[in-house]
Amino acid sequence: MHRTALVLFSGGQDSTTCLAHALSRYERVETLGFDYGQRHRVEMQARLEVLGQLRAGFPRWSQRLGEDHVLDLAVLGQVSETSLTRDMGFKMAESGLPNTFVPGRNLLFLTLAAALAYRRDLQVIVTGVCETDFSGYPDCRDDTMKAMQLALSLGMDKRFLIETPLMWIDKAQTWQLAHDLGAASQGGAANATDGERLVSLIVEHTHTCYLGDRQHRHPWGYGCGTCPACELRAKGWQHWRG
Ligand code: ZN
């Protein structure tokens, strides 16, 4: 029986939904973020905002929400030229992958997460990777996750479960999942008002935009509205809300 979890938490819509998922299932949940010299400090700030809002607004989850960890991964900027770490525009590279792609980034994230989970005695690693919307990233695929689960469990001689609640759902379903998790957050019968509260928290406080835009407020939250991350988030919202 799994009782404890570590959530890879970036402060975006997906990882916040994953955190809600973990808080609804596990008795003790810790969070992990990576600081790799993002062009925008906005993301690191959003993480703290979201954690604070969850603690304040969802008392049952607050009891389960433990320590937040941030690991410095500035080294990523040394091995990789990408629009996430350098001041360059977003575009598709010759490989067919967007230039936000950092080769092996998720492999590194998961390895460090497992090392931390080992030390903190956390059994499940939860990550918001998804094949449905961003199948271009090879280190987000289901097969990669299964291979990592095996490699990390063998390599650390400890059984880890890598959980990927968003793997097969699209962005509209991710909004719905957040609503469902929020509605059930107090225990007992589902309460739509609590579902709306979690959706509002995600709209207002999570950050997804590649350009770090917190000036323009849309029905689905803040962002430039035109980068691929914004387009995906907006499209999912429109499909969900109709
Ligand atoms: Zn954007």
Side-chain angles (χ1 to χ4, degrees):
M1 185 63 180
H2 299 101
R3 291 180 297 103
T4 57
L6 178 66
V7 180
L8 274 78
F9 178 61
S10 70
Q13 177 191 353
D14 290 349
S15 66
T16 300
T17 307
C18 286
L19 178 54
H21 162 94
L23 289 167
S24 71
R25 290 167 84 104
Y26 303 114
E27 291 167 16
R28 182 163 61 93
V29 176
E30 300 189 7
T31 46
L32 170 62
F34 297 104
D35 188 350
Y36 47 101
Q38 282 105 329
R39 283 167 70 192
H40 310 288
R41 309 307 303 168
V42 173
E43 244 186 60
M44 300 310 287
Q45 189 54 42
R47 294 181 78 258
L48 300 177
E49 282 288 331
V50 171
L51 289 175
Q53 294 286 333
L54 283 173
R55 283 187 207 283
F58 295 84
R60 192 160 161 270
W61 287 354
S62 183
Q63 292 168 1
R64 300 174 165 198
L65 184 54
E67 216 171 299
D68 178 40
H69 311 267
V70 174
L71 295 176
D72 183 349
L73 268 191
V75 65
L76 269 186
Q78 293 171 20
V79 295
S80 190
E81 293 259 345
T82 140
S83 71
L84 287 184
T85 52
R86 299 280 170 90
D87 193 14
M88 55 202 262
F90 178 92
K91 63 175 182 3
M92 296 303 282
E94 279 170 27
S95 61
L97 295 169
N99 67 349
T100 46
F101 176 64
V102 182
R105 184 176 60 167
N106 263 318
L107 309 182
L108 196 56
F109 283 3
L110 286 165
T111 304
L112 291 166
L116 183 68
Y118 187 102
R119 180 163 67 76
R120 302 288 302 166
D121 198 24
L122 302 166
Q123 301 157 318
V124 182
I125 297 167
V126 186
T127 169
V129 291
C130 172
E131 275 206 26
T132 314
D133 282 324
F134 258 167
S135 53
Y137 290 127
D139 58 349
C140 292
R141 292 178 189 151
D142 193 48
D143 284 352
T144 307
M145 292 303 114
K146 290 189 163 75
M148 284 304 283
Q149 176 172 293
L150 189 60
L152 294 169
S153 295
L154 287 173
M156 297 191 194
D157 196 20
K158 185 179 168 77
R159 184 83 176 120
F160 291 111
L161 177 68
I162 297 183
E163 204 167 58
T164 56
L166 311 184
M167 183 59 81
W168 305 113
I169 65 177
D170 63 21
K171 276 283 187 286
Q173 291 167 308
T174 303
W175 285 113
Q176 181 62 47
L177 176 60
H179 193 280
D180 293 346
L181 290 166
S185 62
Q186 309 297 328
N191 179 338
T193 310
D194 290 327
E196 281 302 312
R197 281 202 303 123
L198 185 61
V199 168
S200 300
L201 186 159
I202 290 172
V203 166
E204 202 63 32
H205 299 288
T206 67
H207 183 82
T208 316
C209 174
Y210 284 145
L211 302 182
D213 186 323
R214 295 297 290 176
Q215 304 299 317
H216 300 94
R217 173 65 155 82
H218 313 267
W220 43 266
Y222 290 92
C224 69
T226 52
C227 78
C230 281
E231 278 184 358
L232 208 56
R233 179 163 164 154
K235 205 175 88 194
W237 176 267
Q238 280 144 19
H239 280 167
W240 182 55
R241 280 280 146 116

